[in-house]
């Protein structure tokens, strides 16, 4: 235990053990990988340089076999997102005034995104997250992993290092429920994608 409580490594190792996953260390850093059905959910950190200042992000990712080209992103509402919506940015309302007031949702398929967030459990798990940026991507961009045709990724990232074990468990549950719900609405297909993170 460090001066400021347990280290990230200690917390992530306990999380891995509790969820039945693996805590892996390499020259690239450390990560936790946990299976949910045929999917592997990966928790790690990465650094982005903001000028000369390194900014650390915690991320969670889960590649899956895509059943459609469905995309969405959901973030907590704040003054900047409210301004963007006021200026015309998309904000899909899914029904339920408290939920719609708390989040900004963008999607290429409004009816499917409403089906996705019809899950009461999924909405409850989203509400537990204080800060949130969850989306579906077709790859990780210029400097990240490229996925084969027919593979997409559920992706979460937030600034800072998350060392709150309960929050991390909540994120794992959020990913598991979102993946299950993507299968229910036909946007993810059963089966493991040919992607290693």
């Amino acid at each position: 235990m460090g001066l400021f409580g347990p280290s990230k490594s200690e917390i992530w190792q306990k999380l891995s053990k509790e969820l039945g996953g693996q805590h892996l260390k390499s020259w690239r850093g450390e990560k936790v990988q946990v299976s949910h059905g045929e999917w592997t959910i990966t928790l790690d950190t990465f650094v982005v340089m903001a000028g000369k200042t390194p900014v650390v992000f915690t991320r969670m990712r889960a590649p899956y076999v895509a059943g459609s080209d469905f995309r969405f992103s959901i973030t907590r509402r704040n003054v900047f997102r409210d301004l963007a919506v006021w200026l015309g940015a998309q904000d899909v309302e899914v029904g339920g005034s408290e939920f719609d007031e708390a989040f900004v949702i963008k999607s290429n398929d409004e009816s499917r995104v409403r089906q996705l967030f019809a899950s009461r459990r999924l909405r409850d798990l989203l509400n537990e997250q204080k800060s949130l940026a969850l989306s579906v991507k077709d790859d990780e961009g210029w400097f990240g992993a490229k996925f084969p045709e027919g593979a997409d990724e559920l992706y979460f990232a937030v600034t800072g290092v998350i060392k709150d074990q309960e929050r991390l468990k909540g994120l794992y549950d959020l990913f598991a429920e979102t993946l299950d719900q993507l299968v229910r609405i036909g946007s993810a297909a059963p089966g493991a994608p040919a992607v290693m993170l």
Side-chain angles (χ1 to χ4, degrees):
M1 182 177 299
L3 181 62
F4 301 105
S7 69
K8 176 184 89 170
S9 282
E10 291 170 310
I11 291 166
W12 285 23
Q13 194 164 14
K14 280 177 64 177
L15 176 75
S16 171
K17 196 175 284 188
E18 189 170 331
L19 296 176
Q22 293 182 293
H23 180 242
L24 306 165
K25 290 185 178 184
S26 72
W27 64 271
R28 297 174 71 181
E30 64 185 295
K31 62 185 174 183
V32 172
Q33 292 190 310
V34 182
S35 294
H36 175 71
E38 299 171 274
W39 302 294
T40 300
I41 299 171
T42 301
L43 167 70
D44 65 3
T45 58
F46 68 99
V47 176
V48 173
M49 294 304 291
K52 294 182 179 182
T53 306
V55 180
V56 179
F57 289 80
T58 299
R59 71 180 166 188
M60 193 171 276
R61 303 172 289 164
Y64 64 90
V65 176
S68 69
D69 65 349
F70 175 60
R71 301 282 180 271
F72 79 90
S73 67
I74 182 169
T75 55
R76 277 236 173 246
R77 190 175 294 280
N78 63 35
V79 71
F80 299 110
R81 291 201 175 80
D82 283 343
L83 179 60
V85 169
W86 184 78
L87 292 171
Q90 183 186 33
D91 181 17
V92 180
E93 292 190 356
V94 296
S97 60
E98 284 183 30
F99 188 79
D100 287 332
E101 287 175 23
F103 296 99
V104 174
I105 302 170
K106 298 177 183 179
S107 179
N108 65 345
D109 186 333
E110 290 188 16
S111 70
R112 200 173 287 241
V113 86
R114 286 186 185 97
Q115 290 177 323
L116 176 68
F117 294 115
S119 164
R120 183 75 210 157
R121 173 149 170 74
L122 180 55
R123 287 156 69 140
D124 289 344
L125 289 165
L126 285 162
N127 275 317
E128 289 174 10
Q129 295 298 318
K130 293 178 220 106
S131 59
L132 179 77
L134 181 69
S135 62
V136 164
K137 300 176 157 202
D138 61 353
D139 65 33
E140 294 184 353
W142 287 90
F143 302 106
K146 299 288 182 208
F147 297 153
E149 188 70 31
D152 285 339
E153 177 181 57
L154 186 61
Y155 186 92
F156 163 88
V158 67
T159 54
V161 177
I162 301 177
K163 296 195 308 182
D164 178 339
Q165 189 169 346
E166 290 307 309
R167 181 169 185 207
L168 291 168
K169 284 194 304 191
L171 279 169
Y172 170 79
D173 291 342
L174 173 61
F175 262 61
E177 179 62 25
T178 304
L179 289 164
D180 290 342
Q181 186 70 355
L182 285 168
V183 170
R184 287 183 206 113
I185 68 171
S187 292
V195 177
M196 294 295 290
L197 296 178

